[in-house]
Amino acid sequence: MSGGLSATWGMMQLTLWQMTRSRKFLAMVIVTCAPMLIVVYALSRPEMNEPYLFFNELTNILYIQLMLLLVTLINSTSLIRDEISAKTIGFLVTRSISRGEVALSRYLAHIAVNFFLVALPVALSYTYIGLVEGGLSSNLDILGPYLLMILAGVFAYGAFFYLLGILVRHPLMIGLLFAFLWELVLSNMPGRIPYITIMFYIRSLGAEMITSGSIARYDSISGILALGVLSALTLVLLMLSRRSFSGKDLI
Amino acid sequence: MSVVEAESLSKWYGEIIGLNSFTAKMGHGITGLVGPNGAGKTTLIRLLSGMIKQGKGDLKVLGMRPFNNPELSSMIGYCPDHENLYFRMKPLTFLHYMARLNGLGTEECRKRSERCLSIVGLSGENRPIGTFSKGMKQRIKIAQALLNDPKLLILDEPFTGVDPVVRANLMDIIRDLSHQGIDVVISSHILYDIERLADDVLLMNDGKMLLSGKIGEIVDIVEDYTHSIIINTSSARTLGSRLFEEGLVDIVDVRSPNELFVRTRDPNSLYDFLPRAVLDEGIAIEKLTPIENDLQSIFERVVGK
């Protein structure tokens, strides 16, 4: 492996080490996996007739609209900001790795952690339902789109909150306002207002592939177009993060 | 070629000035930056290490501009003034990751991490860094700065708050590194620290350079300066008596059973004696805090001249 690639890979490994060996990570695993208890309880009830519809609603409301925002807000804003606040950033940017590479490799590593945190309980809940109902294969067309929505959301929200963490000294408050006022309120407004939210494009991805439940009832654009918008947005935000971090005084 | 060349270098933090038209050249060997808090030493160190970008003027380190320059960073070892490290990591893990960021392969990372731990005397330490004493943290910071076999080592206030034994030990390590051909830029607000180590010295105040030259010349100019220290010890009265008996201090003030204030005109002998007091006479010394008022009076005299 060349020196540059080795340093980039080293930065990703360091980021994974930092993110997964913390109390914060443990707390987030508990929070994101807690709704699985609701699944277990619901399936034990005799009146539960449509478990996959239940899974559909639970994933849409709790994981797409809440956990995805919460996990990316907490992890992505702190990825660089915590290093600056703790003054450990000096150990990272005085090495044979450019600041641009530091920014990109940390972002990519944290995507894996965020995806794991949100997607794992969704996949486990789905598997549990499949096992209880006697067969996983019949409704696999629901899980795939949700995992795709989570992945796209982790990239897009991750890039937004990452940039916020680089630009702003205290990003959490602004991030909370963005997540729960801008994204959740505006994305549920009538007309074309939801077009200015990231959530609209994430929902559009799923709405094309999932035909039942509330996710299918949202206004949407084509899945390909939504994916294009989300990819472009992620790239632009990431380039801005890289540029901002590369020119920043780190004190 | 000079190791560092700064020409009319300025740095502002909003309305506050960090460096004001600073011009200097630093050659090979150990160069000391001395000045009181707020003199601009840390700003200069951050500029040299590429942590912050310069405002006006020109700065070259080993012939290159330092800001966001990985090629230069691969030749520099930077040791910051603060104690913040990755506290949950064990020393070998920490050094291994830092070595990876220098683009080294896994096996080379392991070898260099072990070698650097050995240089600073921390081989075999397997506790998380968060449990380390201040002196051990200083040593691990120096170790991480040595991972890339640097040509230039930049040390920001490495002696702050350490006990006399660790201070002497750190000085030995820095001297050894210099003898191996590594150039060192070291900052301190204590002239005495620099006097014991440096070949050249730059006196700084208010973001400007006041005076530069060989350490002997500078010390001659401020020949009769006194050095005051607060010593935190479990036996302030005993230690005070011993220092007075040895004729090492002009003034002794036992401020509390655990705190001693002393003033000396012969800091060399005093600092030589303190580690012996700890090791041979069993007097526990927790912390030394040199007082920078003495330095301020030196600056006033220098500016007066």
Side-chain angles (χ1 to χ4, degrees):
Chain A
M1 202 185 287
S2 74
L5 271 180
S6 179
T8 305
W9 181 234
M11 180 58 78
M12 291 175 78
Q13 287 179 311
L14 172 65
T15 308
L16 288 174
W17 193 101
Q18 291 176 286
M19 288 188 78
T20 56
R21 303 213 182 180
S22 63
R23 287 195 192 107
K24 186 167 80 178
F25 178 75
L26 195 63
M28 287 175 96
V29 168
I30 292 169
V31 168
T32 57
C33 287
M36 287 170 62
L37 295 174
I38 301 174
V39 175
V40 173
Y41 174 74
L43 260 69
S44 70
R45 307 285 297 171
E47 58 268 31
M48 171 57 71
N49 296 322
E50 296 191 71
Y52 286 106
L53 189 61
F54 173 72
F55 168 81
N56 204 343
E57 295 307 314
L58 184 87
T59 307
N60 178 32
I61 293 166
L62 269 185
Y63 285 98
I64 300 295
Q65 298 195 44
L66 183 65
M67 298 296 180
L68 179 61
L69 282 162
L70 203 63
V71 166
T72 49
L73 168 66
I74 292 170
N75 277 344
S76 310
T77 51
S78 63
L79 200 55
I80 292 286
R81 180 51 54 188
D82 280 2
E83 297 285 340
I84 296 173
S85 304
K87 298 183 178 176
T88 44
I89 193 75
F91 295 120
L92 309 184
V93 298
T94 53
R95 308 276 163 197
S96 0
I97 176 170
S98 73
R99 289 186 179 203
E101 287 166 329
V102 170
L104 286 180
S105 48
R106 283 185 83 76
Y107 171 79
L108 287 176
H110 107 291
I111 288 294
V113 177
N114 284 354
F115 182 70
F116 171 84
L117 282 169
V118 186
L120 179 76
V122 170
L124 287 178
S125 299
Y126 182 85
T127 307
Y128 180 74
I129 293 171
L131 290 173
V132 171
E133 293 296 305
L136 281 168
S137 58
S138 59
N139 282 287
L140 266 178
D141 55 336
I142 302 177
L143 180 64
Y146 273 120
L147 292 183
L148 180 65
M149 288 166 75
I150 291 168
L151 187 64
V154 160
F155 268 101
Y157 282 128
F160 178 83
F161 290 127
Y162 190 50
L163 176 63
L164 193 65
I166 291 171
L167 293 178
V168 182
R169 194 177 286 266
H170 302 291
L172 216 51
M173 190 48 71
I174 298 172
L176 275 171
L177 290 174
F178 172 79
F180 296 106
L181 281 181
W182 182 278
E183 282 298 292
L184 288 190
V185 173
L186 294 188
S187 67
N188 288 305
M189 298 282 269
R192 299 215 159 203
I193 294 173
Y195 279 62
I196 58 171
T197 66
I198 296 173
M199 187 59 78
F200 171 79
Y201 300 97
I202 294 173
R203 280 178 186 159
S204 292
L205 270 183
E208 191 164 280
M209 292 179 274
I210 300 168
T211 52
S212 59
S214 57
I215 191 90
R217 291 196 292 274
Y218 291 118
D219 285 340
S220 63
I221 57 171
S222 83
I224 292 290
L225 186 59
L227 192 61
V229 171
L230 287 171
S231 304
L233 182 70
T234 301
L235 277 176
V236 169
L237 290 169
L238 206 49
M239 276 162 50
L240 288 174
S241 299
R242 188 175 183 273
R243 189 185 166 91
S244 170
F245 183 63
S246 294
K248 197 175 181 64
D249 278 350
L250 297 169
I251 49 174
Chain B
M1 184 180 72
S2 299
V3 175
V4 174
E5 285 180 58
E7 181 71 43
S8 306
L9 190 62
S10 295
K11 178 67 189 175
W12 291 81
Y13 302 105
E15 300 283 302
I16 299 161
I17 192 157
L19 270 188
N20 186 4
S21 202
F22 179 88
T23 298
K25 282 188 179 180
M26 300 179 205
H28 295 284
I30 303 179
T31 303
L33 307 175
V34 186
N37 288 334
K41 304 184 299 294
T42 295
T43 296
L44 180 59
I45 293 260
R46 284 173 177 160
L47 284 164
L48 297 179
S49 61
M51 293 276 293
I52 56 176
K53 57 179 179 290
Q54 67 202 62
K56 288 181 181 168
D58 194 26
L59 174 65
K60 292 222 171 114
V61 179
L62 301 174
M64 288 181 260
R65 289 174 193 276
F67 184 71
N68 195 15
N69 185 344
E71 187 189 349
L72 177 63
S73 295
S74 68
M75 294 187 259
I76 289 180
Y78 166 63
C79 178
D81 58 340
H82 59 78
E83 289 180 42
N84 297 9
L85 291 145
Y86 295 118
F87 293 130
R88 292 190 311 276
M89 281 187 187
K90 291 174 180 174
L92 204 55
T93 313
F94 172 62
L95 291 191
H96 183 87
Y97 278 121
M98 295 300 109
R100 288 304 302 269
L101 301 185
N102 286 319
L104 303 173
T106 309
E107 188 54 26
E108 187 63 21
C109 286
R110 188 188 59 77
K111 278 185 197 162
R112 290 210 196 181
S113 302
E114 285 173 356
R115 195 186 71 205
C116 291
L117 276 183
S118 157
I119 290 172
V120 299
L122 288 177
S123 294
E125 277 297 340
N126 201 28
R127 291 179 287 149
I129 294 170
T131 64
F132 278 17
S133 67
K134 189 157 187 152
M136 291 166 88
K137 285 177 190 158
Q138 291 287 14
R139 284 193 266 170
I140 195 93
K141 283 194 308 184
I142 293 178
Q144 62 80 34
L146 297 174
L147 285 164
N148 54 341
D149 286 337
K151 290 182 178 167
L152 172 64
L153 191 57
I154 299 172
L155 307 170
D156 196 1
E157 303 270 5
F159 307 117
T160 305
V162 296
D163 66 49
V165 176
V166 174
R167 179 180 291 257
N169 181 248
L170 288 176
M171 285 193 178
D172 288 342
I173 292 170
I174 294 165
R175 264 190 220 104
D176 285 348
L177 293 168
S178 173
H179 290 152
Q180 289 165 31
I182 299 174
D183 296 315
V184 181
V185 174
I186 181 170
S187 77
S188 176
H189 57 280
I190 311 300
L191 180 59
Y192 168 75
D193 286 341
I194 298 301
E195 185 188 340
R196 294 194 106 189
L197 272 177
D199 307 304
D200 299 300
V201 65
L202 271 71
L203 289 186
M204 297 176 69
N205 201 19
D206 288 336
K208 288 185 172 175
M209 190 181 72
L210 293 182
L211 206 60
S212 72
K214 293 286 169 197
I215 186 71
E217 297 164 8
I218 302 295
V219 171
D220 282 347
I221 291 173
V222 293
E223 190 177 11
D224 56 344
Y225 81 95
T226 56
H227 186 69
S228 306
I229 314 166
I230 292 173
I231 304 174
N232 293 96
T233 169
S234 56
S235 359
R237 195 169 293 280
T238 312
L239 181 62
S241 306
R242 288 289 294 118
L243 293 175
F244 213 77
E245 282 165 22
E246 294 283 330
L248 295 170
V249 290
D250 301 322
I251 295 172
V252 176
D253 179 11
V254 179
R255 291 181 170 177
S256 78
N258 303 109
E259 188 176 296
L260 187 67
F261 170 87
V262 296
R263 182 170 288 166
T264 178
R265 287 174 194 278
D266 186 7
N268 278 334
S269 303
L270 176 64
Y271 278 101
D272 284 341
F273 175 78
L274 287 175
R276 289 206 310 273
V278 174
L279 297 172
D280 300 340
E281 303 186 23
I283 298 173
I285 297 177
E286 289 149 21
K287 197 167 138 191
L288 293 178
T289 313
I291 309 294
E292 65 184 58
N293 293 350
D294 304 323
L295 194 60
Q296 196 57 48
S297 66
I298 291 169
F299 283 127
E300 283 161 13
R301 257 184 295 163
V302 170
V303 174
K305 287 180 184 185

